[in-house]
Amino acid sequence: MKTYLPPKFIIERDQYRCTQCQACVSQCSFDANYYDAEDDEVRSREENCVGCHRCVVFCPTNAITVRENPSSYRRNESWTHEAIEDIIKQSETGGMLLTGMGTDKGYPIFWDHLLLNASQVTNPSIDPLREPMELTTYLGQKPDMVKLTSDSTDIETEITNQIKLDIPIMLTAMSYGAISLNTQESLARAATEAGTLWNTGEGGLHPSLRKYANNMVAQVASGRFGVHSEYLNMARVVEIKIGQGAKPGIGGHLPGEKVSLDVSATRMIPQGTDALSPAPQHDIYSIEDLSQLIYALKEATNYTKPISVKIAAVHNSAAIASGMVRAGADIIVLDGLRGSTGATPKIIRDNVGIPIELALAAVDERLRKEGIRNKASIVVAGGIRNSGDVTKAIALGADAVYIGTAALIALGCHVCQQCHTGKCAWGICTTNVGLTKRINPNIGTRRLTNLLNSWSLEIKDMLGGMGINAIESLRGNRLHLRGVGLSDTELKILGVRAAGS
Amino acid sequence: MKKLSSAQVNAFNMTTRELSCKLREIVADGSERIEIHNTCGQRYIGTGLGAVQLDIYGTPGNDLGAFMDGAEITVHGNAQDGCGNTMNAGKIIIHGNAGDTLGLSARDGKVFVKGNVGYRTGIHMKEYHAQKPVIIIGGTAQDFFGEYMAGGILVLLGLNLQEGERQKANFIGTGMHGGVIYVRGKVEDFQLGKELGTADLNEEDYDALGKIVNEFASYFGHDAQEILKCKFTKLYPLYLRPYGKLYAY
């Protein structure tokens, strides 16, 4: 069938600069550049271009410019390019539109409507370059009260297992299979070096990454891939995944083509079969059932691991979170509307869930009101783009954040949203052996630790400006936030006053 | 046979946690076989204990042998829901009925049930090389038997059915994409998920089935040959990728 889709991008090659070296041909995994031997000229198949900029970055003479196809349809506010082209795709395939990454729709980003405070005159700001600044974060259940021994030299209260993080930023769940092993190794090593945690995602643990298990969150999701008692007992935290911001309420299908020999060994399923994660966990149909699995995992690890439960941020998150905490979760993870994924139906990604800022504010508020906020730590994920977002999230009530897309961008991702194709030209979201070599774990680790270090410095600067010397003092401290351009209802849900008031 | 050092526990009025601590203690002391009496709803029995023999009298609670790694459990009575959840190795023998989601996501090990089982037995069971879980049911099963099944062997005998009566379960093997199901007696096409093919058993199938049925018969005093005389149907997944055509790229 002839496709009615126009090319999404135009590839312009400056013939004066181009040396016909064919670097763009070998770099493009989508077959958008080719060498015409007859004419001895490098040319493009623009219909294949996804705008990932691999060729742009790797062209030694900067001869390539990739830009959006400027051709436009007759102007129509309702029938946008996207609306038209989605229908064309569906009429040519008959399938659900699949995509990758988080939603690219213009839903409000509340981080950009929240502003942090700073000290002026009435209290001094602190210069983090000269004074100690504490970002250490402890995840896990906190006691209702702390009792000291009679001589006040020690704590009498029994403190349950706490996870110490040097920075309140963790690397989120991305499974081996969805991402390449070199990518996962980069994440694992960076987390270990930075004193934070990485997350296996639902794909088991590759033997080569066992040495990073001490900084690992072992995920248990509906497919239970690679889950066995050794895996659980090696981890620092065990995380039950109920949902994901990019696809709330649905499961996951890792396509058989991505289940290579090595992936099959890690997931412990036959090579080439689809790795199907059912939509629900079939042993969890209620809060009581969740509690049953939480305690099954506690039994399986002899009560040595905090159990985390991750949900997508949805309409009733606050009530659900209350149930999760009462069910025995030590950590609850909220993944917002803008959360990313390796593959999701586009219609789900772009239409289901709520923004993380509102979910976080509602959950923190609810747990405080019920007097159970200390019983679990809150971790938020889904669209954390910079240290400003991290700091605002903590002021809004989060204990820590998970980053995914930001970490992948550090590794080379250009957010072209083709993760689901398995052809990632940057070697991140693929199991194609030729492509996975494009991530060098030594360099990947450095890029990630650099990112985490930059953000740490920035957070310390912001804290110092507020006159705070420990992240603990900012946690849930919404007086340090003011809202701009928000309605009264939004301000009320966020629990934040309007700027100027 | 080497005599196992054994111990007894009276689970009367014990909470789940009390019983599990007690069992851990006994195992740490070197007991290889434990009899648990007056069991009444305590969960997770056998979880996190390693290779130990447990004889359970009374009714164990949900998630019996969840994440189990090598224990051998005999239940002298009925089991509840989630029995053998994500089990990795070991054996569970139930001299009675079992509830829903028996052997959910099991990765290896064997489960023998004398009586009937509830819904979604063997859901998302998987296999990898030599790790191949086996579940055999003497009686009947409820709907979604072998749903999402990705590997292993499920056997449904229906020994308590009348002559010519069909199996009770509907939606058998919905979403199945690996492993095999052997059903004894009558099962109609409408009872099967649309991802399944049916076939007569070949020699290899009879070989595998014979071993399982023999072991089943030895636990519950059945005559294996008598069981195997009846016609079996083999149910297998038609596609490795049942949902491969669902998406547009």
Side-chain angles (χ1 to χ4, degrees):
Chain A
M1 198 187 295
K2 172 170 169 54
T3 179
Y4 295 166
L5 282 175
K8 204 110 197 88
F9 295 93
I10 300 292
I11 305 171
E12 286 167 345
R13 197 171 273 103
D14 184 333
Q15 290 303 340
Y16 177 71
R17 291 185 178 193
C18 178
T19 60
Q20 315 295 328
C21 75
Q22 299 178 41
C24 54
V25 177
S26 59
Q27 289 300 325
C28 184
S29 52
F30 291 88
D31 213 16
N33 298 312
Y34 70 101
Y35 174 66
D36 190 324
E38 216 164 279
D39 291 349
D40 184 28
E41 198 173 298
V42 175
R43 299 216 164 105
S44 296
R45 293 186 189 96
E46 289 174 327
E47 64 278 17
N48 291 342
C49 180
V50 298
C52 77
H53 280 222
R54 181 80 187 178
C55 60
V56 175
V57 173
F58 279 78
C59 174
T61 58
N62 287 333
I64 302 174
T65 308
V66 171
R67 57 194 182 93
E68 261 188 313
N69 187 346
S71 311
S72 46
Y73 306 108
R74 180 177 291 272
R75 187 182 162 78
N76 191 319
E77 295 292 334
S78 173
W79 290 99
T80 58
H81 284 209
E82 187 182 2
I84 293 171
E85 287 168 13
D86 280 356
I87 288 182
I88 295 176
K89 256 184 234 170
Q90 291 184 309
S91 63
E92 289 171 5
T93 59
M96 285 196 273
L97 294 172
L98 209 59
T99 187
M101 305 310 295
T103 182
D104 53 13
K105 297 286 158 293
Y107 291 111
I109 297 175
F110 290 94
W111 304 133
D112 295 341
H113 293 269
L114 291 170
L115 295 165
L116 290 162
N117 197 22
S119 303
Q120 299 293 297
V121 183
T122 52
N123 57 341
S125 46
I126 304 170
D127 182 352
L129 296 177
R130 288 182 290 102
E131 292 185 51
M133 206 41 91
E134 181 91 31
L135 297 189
T136 311
T137 296
Y138 291 90
L139 298 185
Q141 192 188 125
K142 309 289 185 291
D144 291 335
M145 57 190 297
V146 176
K147 211 174 152 195
L148 298 180
T149 51
S150 52
D151 59 357
S152 296
T153 57
D154 209 351
I155 297 171
E156 201 178 283
T157 313
E158 199 186 321
I159 309 285
T160 55
N161 206 340
Q162 299 290 310
I163 301 301
K164 184 183 171 200
L165 303 176
D166 291 345
I167 46 170
I169 306 162
M170 306 192 287
L171 305 178
T172 199
M174 287 178 268
S175 69
Y176 173 40
I179 56 169
S180 69
L181 189 58
N182 283 351
T183 305
Q184 206 176 44
E185 183 183 334
S186 306
L187 296 165
R189 279 170 56 181
T192 306
E193 277 183 31
T196 184
L197 303 182
W198 65 287
N199 188 314
T200 58
E202 184 187 25
L205 177 64
H206 191 272
S208 69
L209 301 184
R210 280 174 182 226
K211 46 183 176 290
Y212 310 111
N214 196 37
N215 288 70
M216 175 180 94
V217 179
Q219 207 173 55
V220 174
S222 64
R224 303 281 157 88
F225 296 112
V227 177
H228 46 87
S229 82
E230 199 191 355
Y231 165 77
L232 299 172
N233 280 291
M234 266 190 295
R236 274 287 276 293
V237 175
V238 176
E239 181 169 289
I240 299 171
K241 178 199 166 186
I242 302 291
Q244 188 179 340
K247 42 179 165 179
I250 66 167
H253 298 166
L254 184 72
E257 300 94 62
K258 269 184 146 180
V259 183
S260 63
L261 187 67
D262 214 29
V263 171
S264 94
T266 307
R267 296 203 174 209
M268 310 201 71
I269 52 166
Q271 190 180 350
T273 58
D274 275 3
L276 305 181
S277 298
Q281 305 222 12
H282 279 287
D283 47 357
I284 306 178
Y285 288 1
S286 66
I287 292 291
E288 290 76 12
D289 288 351
L290 173 66
S291 184
Q292 182 172 305
L293 184 62
I294 288 172
Y295 282 92
L297 289 165
K298 289 194 176 194
E299 284 288 338
T301 54
N302 200 10
Y303 292 81
T304 58
K305 316 283 174 193
I307 307 295
S308 161
V309 181
K310 175 179 177 179
I311 58 163
V314 291
H315 304 179
N316 283 328
S317 287
I320 297 163
S322 164
M324 286 156 64
V325 175
R326 291 170 196 283
D330 300 292
I331 300 167
I332 60 177
V333 181
L334 307 168
D335 193 9
L337 172 66
R338 297 188 303 274
S340 266
T341 178
T344 174
K346 185 167 180 279
I347 204 78
I348 302 267
R349 183 193 75 172
D350 293 345
N351 294 287
V352 183
I354 63 170
I356 189 60
E357 303 90 332
L358 301 178
L360 166 61
V363 167
D364 180 68
E365 178 70 13
R366 177 72 173 255
L367 298 185
R368 278 174 198 279
K369 273 197 178 142
E370 293 184 4
I372 54 173
R373 178 63 183 86
N374 62 308
K375 298 220 180 285
S377 299
I378 300 178
V379 176
V380 297
I384 303 283
R385 302 157 300 169
N386 52 47
S387 59
D389 292 354
V390 178
T391 311
K392 289 169 189 174
I394 287 169
L396 210 48
D399 287 274
V401 305
Y402 265 135
I403 58 166
T405 303
L408 296 188
I409 292 173
L411 291 172
C413 170
H414 278 56
V415 201
C416 72
Q417 307 184 26
Q418 299 301 308
C419 326
H420 59 292
T421 63
K423 292 183 192 167
C424 178
W426 291 88
I428 295 167
C429 208
T430 177
T431 55
N432 174 311
V433 184
L435 296 174
T436 58
K437 289 204 178 104
R438 295 182 177 188
I439 294 286
N440 173 334
N442 293 328
I443 299 171
T445 305
R446 202 158 74 232
R447 295 187 81 100
L448 283 165
T449 48
N450 279 344
L451 175 75
L452 293 172
N453 192 44
S454 313
W455 287 19
S456 297
L457 290 170
E458 291 175 345
I459 293 171
K460 286 177 182 175
D461 237 12
M462 283 181 272
L463 287 181
M466 284 183 265
I468 292 174
N469 63 4
I471 195 98
E472 206 59 53
S473 310
L474 181 67
R475 196 153 282 132
N477 194 342
R478 297 188 193 178
L479 284 172
H480 276 296
L481 293 171
R482 287 291 188 274
V484 281
L486 295 173
S487 70
D488 286 352
T489 312
E490 287 163 334
L491 287 169
K492 197 169 154 225
I493 293 168
L494 289 166
V496 165
R497 290 161 62 177
S501 68
Chain B
M1 207 170 100
K2 187 179 147 250
K3 180 110 175 71
L4 298 175
S5 57
S6 60
Q8 290 205 353
V9 177
N10 183 357
F12 182 73
N13 262 353
M14 270 192 182
T15 65
T16 291
R17 184 95 179 97
E18 282 164 354
L19 179 59
S20 95
C21 285
K22 183 82 192 157
L23 293 175
R24 274 179 212 274
E25 218 173 87
I26 294 172
V27 171
D29 281 348
S31 283
E32 295 152 300
R33 185 173 173 278
I34 308 171
E35 270 183 29
I36 308 170
H37 292 274
N38 297 314
T39 313
C40 188
Q42 290 93 347
R43 292 175 175 178
Y44 323 119
I45 299 177
T47 300
L49 289 186
V52 61
Q53 273 191 28
L54 299 174
D55 270 275
I56 301 174
Y57 296 87
T59 305
N62 291 351
D63 270 355
L64 171 73
F67 301 99
M68 194 171 94
D69 210 6
E72 194 178 319
I73 301 177
T74 307
V75 183
H76 302 272
N78 299 321
Q80 307 293 311
D81 297 342
C83 173
N85 185 349
T86 325
M87 71 186 272
N88 196 43
K91 201 185 278 186
I92 302 177
I93 302 155
I94 299 164
H95 290 262
N97 302 322
D100 297 341
T101 62
L102 172 75
L104 176 142
S105 284
R107 304 150 41 77
D108 199 2
K110 292 177 182 173
V111 183
F112 301 86
V113 182
K114 187 178 182 185
N116 304 320
V117 292
Y119 291 83
R120 299 199 151 93
T121 297
I123 177 172
H124 217 295
M125 211 160 85
K126 45 184 77 68
E127 71 179 60
Y128 183 67
H129 294 302
Q131 284 168 273
K132 204 172 196 176
V134 172
I135 299 178
I136 176 166
I137 312 300
T140 58
Q142 294 297 329
D143 295 352
F144 298 103
F145 186 75
E147 187 188 17
Y148 259 122
M149 190 168 156
I153 305 174
L154 279 180
V155 183
L156 185 56
L157 296 177
L159 296 173
N160 52 1
L161 292 171
Q162 302 297 316
E163 183 79 29
E165 191 185 353
R166 63 178 171 79
Q167 287 287 350
K168 306 272 188 205
N170 289 314
F171 309 105
I172 296 174
T174 300
M176 180 175 178
H177 53 292
V180 62
I181 302 177
Y182 301 116
V183 182
R184 182 176 171 277
K186 199 164 158 191
V187 56
E188 306 275 6
D189 275 350
F190 72 82
Q191 293 177 269
L192 307 180
K194 53 184 182 296
E195 299 86 0
L196 294 195
T198 56
D200 289 333
L201 278 63
N202 60 28
E203 209 169 303
E204 231 172 90
D205 293 317
Y206 271 115
D207 217 39
L209 179 67
K211 279 185 198 143
I212 299 166
V213 170
N214 267 311
E215 192 173 348
F216 171 86
S218 74
Y219 295 134
F220 305 123
H222 284 292
D223 178 351
Q225 292 317 309
E226 200 60 38
I227 293 173
L228 289 164
K229 257 190 211 161
C230 184
K231 184 181 155 50
F232 278 83
T233 309
K234 173 186 180 176
L235 309 176
Y236 64 94
L238 289 172
Y239 322 102
L240 283 177
R241 305 200 43 203
Y243 304 124
K245 297 234 182 300
L246 212 55
Y247 302 110
Y249 286 83

